[in-house]
């Protein structure tokens, strides 16, 4: 039976992801972690600030997880995203999938993060030394 | 009706929630979008923006009911 681990958290704990994904029927586990990068287009980022529409974000994350379970026959899925101010090198998102063999969990993991970035109502503001920019807001 | 604003949409209207009482009768998602663009021109500068009704993305022709939870979703940028 699959299990979905879907959460919006203040701080991502990367240490317990294996426990959430390990499964007797899984021979492969794939995890992606997104972190705060210091430079955007050669400009130094001081921090990132994330906010969310939590009820809707959780609903969309559940839908994405269920789509992935169905498509790749996953045994377990993790989707966690952090909110609030995050500094350089801090993890902000973790997604993972576990399946019988590795091709499925690799493909599922990419789908989870790519689709999260397209659909889940979470917004990122880049804080530079002299300005703040909502990412992707303007063409 | 009450409308929630997030991210840059909140910055544009200057509030995280507004009560809008001067929309046309029996409004749709598209009517709300046009109302916001007419009232706050900065909405037209965005890459796009969506409307969520009861925490689901809603198409332009969806009617808005008084008790719906309505939210303005500017371009998302999680991850």
């Amino acid at each position: 039976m699959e299990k979905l681990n879907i959460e919006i958290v203040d701080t991502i704990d990367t240490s317990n992801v294996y426990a959430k994904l390990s499964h007797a029927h899984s021979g492969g586990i794939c995890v992606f972690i997104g972190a705060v990068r210091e430079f955007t287009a050669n400009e130094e980022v001081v921090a990132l600030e994330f906010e969310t529409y939590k009820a809707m974000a959780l609903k969309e994350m559940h839908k994405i997880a269920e789509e992935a379970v169905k498509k790749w026959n996953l045994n377990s899925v993790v989707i966690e995203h952090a909110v609030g101010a995050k500094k350089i090198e801090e993890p902000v998102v973790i997604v993972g999938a576990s399946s019988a063999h590795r091709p499925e969990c690799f493909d599922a993991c990419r789908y989870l993060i790519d689709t999260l970035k397209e659909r889940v109502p979470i917004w990122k503001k880049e804080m530079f030394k002299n300005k703040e920019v909502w990412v992707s807001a303007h063409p | 009706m009450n409308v929630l604003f997030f991210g840059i949409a909140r910055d544009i209207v200057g509030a995280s929630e507004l009560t809008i009482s001067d929309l046309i009768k029996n409004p749709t998602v598209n009517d709300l979008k046009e109302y916001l663009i007419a009232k706050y021109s900065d909405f037209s500068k965005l890459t796009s923006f969506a409307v969520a009704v009861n925490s689901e993305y809603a198409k332009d022709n969806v009617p808005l009911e008084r008790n719906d939870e309505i939210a303005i979703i500017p371009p998302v940028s999680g991850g």
Side-chain angles (χ1 to χ4, degrees), chain A residues 34 48 50-56 59-60 63 81 92-93 113 116-125 134-139, chain B residues 4-12 42 45-48 51-57 69-79:
Chain A
L48 295 182
F50 289 89
E51 70 169 63
T52 186
Y53 176 18
K54 193 171 180 181
M56 181 175 175
K59 221 187 239 189
E60 285 297 321
K63 282 187 207 164
H81 204 295
V92 298
V93 61
I113 186 62
L116 176 148
K117 287 175 85 87
E118 276 169 21
R119 286 187 2 209
V120 177
I122 294 173
W123 297 274
K124 171 165 50 195
K125 197 197 247 181
W134 286 108
V135 176
S136 306
H138 295 111
Chain B
L4 306 174
F5 295 86
F6 295 94
I8 197 169
R10 188 189 56 240
D11 290 353
I12 290 172
D42 281 351
K45 296 177 189 158
L46 298 180
T47 311
S48 65
V51 173
V53 177
N54 301 323
S55 62
E56 304 264 1
Y57 286 107
E69 182 169 293
I70 298 161
I72 305 305
I73 311 291
V76 300
S77 51

Side-chain angles (χ1 to χ4, degrees), chain A residues 68-83:
Chain A
V69 165
K70 208 169 154 189
K71 189 162 181 189
W72 288 284
N73 196 24
L74 306 175
N75 295 316
S76 185
V77 172
V78 165
I79 309 180
E80 286 177 30
H81 204 295
V83 289

Side-chain angles (χ1 to χ4, degrees), chain B residues 32-75:
Chain B
L32 175 60
K33 283 185 176 172
E34 286 181 355
Y35 170 94
L36 290 171
I37 289 168
K39 195 153 180 179
Y40 306 94
S41 60
D42 281 351
F43 275 109
S44 62
K45 296 177 189 158
L46 298 180
T47 311
S48 65
F49 69 98
V51 173
V53 177
N54 301 323
S55 62
E56 304 264 1
Y57 286 107
K59 293 206 168 103
D60 279 354
N61 60 358
V62 168
L64 300 175
E65 308 290 344
R66 196 173 177 74
N67 293 323
D68 286 338
E69 182 169 293
I70 298 161
I72 305 305
I73 311 291

Side-chain angles (χ1 to χ4, degrees), chain B residues 1-5 15 17-22 35 39 66:
Chain B
M1 63 181 59
N2 290 332
V3 180
L4 306 174
F5 295 86
E17 187 167 2
L18 285 181
T19 303
I20 296 175
S21 49
D22 52 346
Y35 170 94
K39 195 153 180 179
R66 196 173 177 74

